[in-house]
Amino acid sequence: MDVVTTEQRSTRRGPWTYERLCAATPVDNVRREIIDGWLYIDGQQVDDPMADVASDSSRPLHGDAVREVLVALVEYRHEHDTGGQGYTAPLDVAFGDVVLQPDVFWLPRPAPRRELPIAVPPLLVVEVSSPSTRGHDLVRKRRVYEHAGVPEYWFVDNDAQRFECYVLEGDAYAPPALVPRGQRVRSAALPGFEVAVDVVLGPDDDDPVGNS
């Protein structure tokens, strides 16, 4: 696996396009993303789209958090007639010429069923932390969401046991609101949508009494 340095990436674009990626890979559940022409698998920059990259995103901790956010979005959809719909990875979403697979995202209208990448801009994107993707989510992907004008980005931080909530102000995200256990996260982009931090994070392993 050849690694390209940050300095190299800043001076030239990578060779990958979405069309090239589709031609080179089968339909599977691998998290492949393209940023500035560079190819990433589960947050790690690679040259080979079939590279065997160890990922932590399949851990129960990650999957449980994704499920709870999606369940909350499904309930929100049933209770609020907004016309929108929530989705989870693996689904390719286009942000200009960048193609990402957010963990969870909300579209203002249902996505076309047979068209990829999805070109409908999300109103809310949620990424759940894992050791292999933490920097990718908080730096590269957050930059893409900000530049694309995604109104709201939540980062579920399993390590810090909290949410980081970014809301777009003008053309940039304001400093994040840090929402810890015991509180609820309320969306600015989806009026009426909220989730309990404890429900998404699951049981607190550091709480011997199980108060979470």
Side-chain angles (χ1 to χ4, degrees), residues 90-104:
L91 278 176
D92 297 327
V93 184
F95 301 86
D97 62 353
V98 173
V99 178
L100 302 179
Q101 292 193 2
D103 280 326
V104 189

Side-chain angles (χ1 to χ4, degrees), residues 88-193:
T88 63
L91 278 176
D92 297 327
V93 184
F95 301 86
D97 62 353
V98 173
V99 178
L100 302 179
Q101 292 193 2
D103 280 326
V104 189
F105 56 101
W106 176 269
L107 300 182
R109 60 184 184 275
R113 293 190 175 187
R114 294 179 175 82
E115 294 181 14
L116 287 176
I118 294 170
V120 181
L123 294 180
L124 170 68
V125 167
V126 182
E127 299 285 1
V128 178
S129 71
S130 66
S132 62
T133 65
R134 184 182 183 85
H136 188 60
D137 292 337
L138 280 174
V139 180
R140 300 189 193 99
K141 295 179 79 169
R142 187 185 70 178
R143 171 176 59 84
V144 170
Y145 299 143
E146 183 177 62
H147 289 177
V150 175
E152 192 168 15
Y153 169 45
W154 292 356
F155 179 71
V156 181
D157 194 335
N158 282 311
D159 296 323
Q161 294 286 280
R162 69 188 184 193
F163 276 54
E164 291 188 21
C165 301
Y166 298 84
V167 176
L168 200 65
E169 293 186 356
D171 58 358
Y173 284 135
L178 306 180
V179 187
R181 282 187 175 276
Q183 297 188 22
R184 300 182 70 83
V185 181
R186 293 175 174 84
S187 173
L190 306 181
F193 177 59

